Amino acid sequence: MTAATPSFDGPPQLALPFDLDDPRFEPIETARLVLRPLEASDARDVWEYQRLPEVLRYIPWPERSPAEGRAHTEKRAGLRRLESDEDAVFFAMELVGEPRVREPRIVEMEHERADAAGWRVIGDVMLRADRVEHGQLEIGWVVHPDFQGRGLAREGADAIMRLAFDTLRAHRVHALLDARNAASAALCERLGMRREATILEEEYNDGEWQDTAMYGILRREWAGRPAVE
Ligand SMILES: CC(C)(COP(=O)(O)OP(=O)(O)OC[C@H]1O[C@@H](n2cnc3c(N)ncnc32)[C@H](O)[C@@H]1OP(=O)(O)O)[C@@H](O)C(=O)NCCC(=O)NCCS
């Protein structure tokens, strides 16, 4: 007898808790990237993209000082577990072969951390528990502009979508973006997501009302998507 086909329309079956520190979780390797938990020691690499106006343009983040940027990365690196609504975890996108950004105080910090070895973090991917009861997860992403347009966001996001559907058994994954964010919308579509809604004037950022686009994909759609080259 063959194994039962997974039910796509049955009740929610999110496989939580998911803990980044669980020894069974191993970094995810793709053709060009390693996706592993974001660490406080990544703050310098993250600062390289977090500080750029073109990155902040469609993200409601304040302009942070280096110290604030470091505190922000430390905070996100401390989020290690998905279990309840609004829990989030962050994956660093290490580009294999690209050296990390270094400066004296970071070199000092690296000596303190055995896990600081590795390649440059050129972006990060968030996975957030939206409504656990209903099997809903949210995904989000940022890539350093120097490394955009090479399919790296797609590669990293695709790996985390696989984690969301294949390992965590999400029923649906969605992304929320500034409706003007053409790059993020294109990435959603490249991943097989559909624009489900445009929420008018949902946020007030930088002195203006901002529309939010919602993209989503269901588990059965993800399973049936055409192979991506
Ligand atoms: C959104 C973002 C992660 C995309 O990164 P990227 O590395 O350029 O994406 P990829 O190279 O993997 O491209 C994915 C798809 O988007 C398309 N794309 C990328 N930038 C685009 C743009 N400016 N306009 C239209 N399409 C674009 C690519 O052509 C590709 O589609 P294809 O494979 O069919 O050609 C990046 O632009 C970014 O970090 N922006 C700043 C932060 C941000 O706004 N994050 C999103 C918050 S919701």
Side-chain angles (χ1 to χ4, degrees):
M1 202 174 138
T2 53
T5 309
S7 163
F8 297 125
D9 296 316
Q13 47 184 319
L14 262 184
L16 299 184
F18 170 68
D19 196 325
L20 292 177
D21 295 319
D22 185 325
R24 287 170 298 181
F25 173 72
E26 293 186 358
I28 303 167
E29 293 180 20
T30 67
R32 294 171 291 176
L33 300 169
V34 175
L35 289 117
R36 45 95 178 147
L38 184 75
E39 303 293 348
S41 55
D42 296 324
R44 185 66 182 83
D45 283 357
V46 172
W47 172 247
E48 283 301 310
Y49 55 86
Q50 190 185 47
R51 66 189 171 83
L52 301 173
E54 60 265 49
V55 167
L56 296 179
R57 186 162 177 218
Y58 298 125
I59 306 183
W61 282 350
E63 276 183 43
R64 296 190 175 92
S65 68
E68 288 166 340
R70 178 171 301 280
H72 180 250
T73 296
E74 280 170 6
K75 186 175 171 193
R76 294 202 304 168
L79 303 174
R80 313 291 290 189
R81 191 173 167 91
L82 289 183
E83 186 166 22
S84 309
D85 290 0
E86 297 187 18
D87 286 349
V89 290
F90 292 86
F91 299 89
M93 293 170 58
E94 273 186 13
L95 179 59
V96 174
E98 184 71 25
R100 291 171 73 93
V101 178
R102 299 173 80 83
E103 63 179 8
R105 71 172 189 276
I106 298 301
V107 172
E108 220 172 79
M109 207 167 120
E110 281 180 354
H111 286 149
E112 290 166 19
R113 297 184 66 94
D115 61 357
W119 304 111
R120 177 167 172 179
V121 175
I122 53 109
D124 55 79
V125 185
M126 174 199 78
L127 200 55
R128 179 176 164 274
D130 180 35
R131 283 171 304 149
V132 170
E133 188 189 353
H134 300 288
Q136 309 282 312
L137 297 181
E138 179 186 346
I139 191 167
W141 37 62
V142 183
V143 169
H144 190 300
D146 286 357
F147 301 93
Q148 289 176 14
R150 303 187 198 175
L152 290 166
R154 187 202 55 73
E155 197 171 309
D158 183 83
I160 299 305
M161 292 283 264
R162 284 171 200 269
L163 174 79
F165 283 117
D166 301 345
T167 306
L168 304 183
R169 308 187 68 74
H171 182 69
R172 173 175 165 274
V173 176
H174 73 266
L176 294 168
L177 36 136
D178 184 317
R180 298 166 300 179
N181 194 342
S184 202
L187 174 57
C188 287
E189 282 166 18
R190 192 69 165 94
L191 290 164
M193 301 171 101
R194 143 185 17 84
R195 189 166 184 139
E196 295 179 337
T198 306
I199 306 158
L200 298 183
E201 301 188 9
E202 203 224 359
E203 289 194 11
Y204 189 76
N205 294 316
D206 301 326
E208 58 180 347
W209 287 103
Q210 172 210 309
D211 298 346
T212 299
M214 177 182 276
Y215 280 80
I217 182 168
L218 299 171
R219 180 176 170 74
R220 61 176 171 272
E221 295 170 327
W222 178 258
R225 73 196 186 288
V228 180
E229 72 282 358

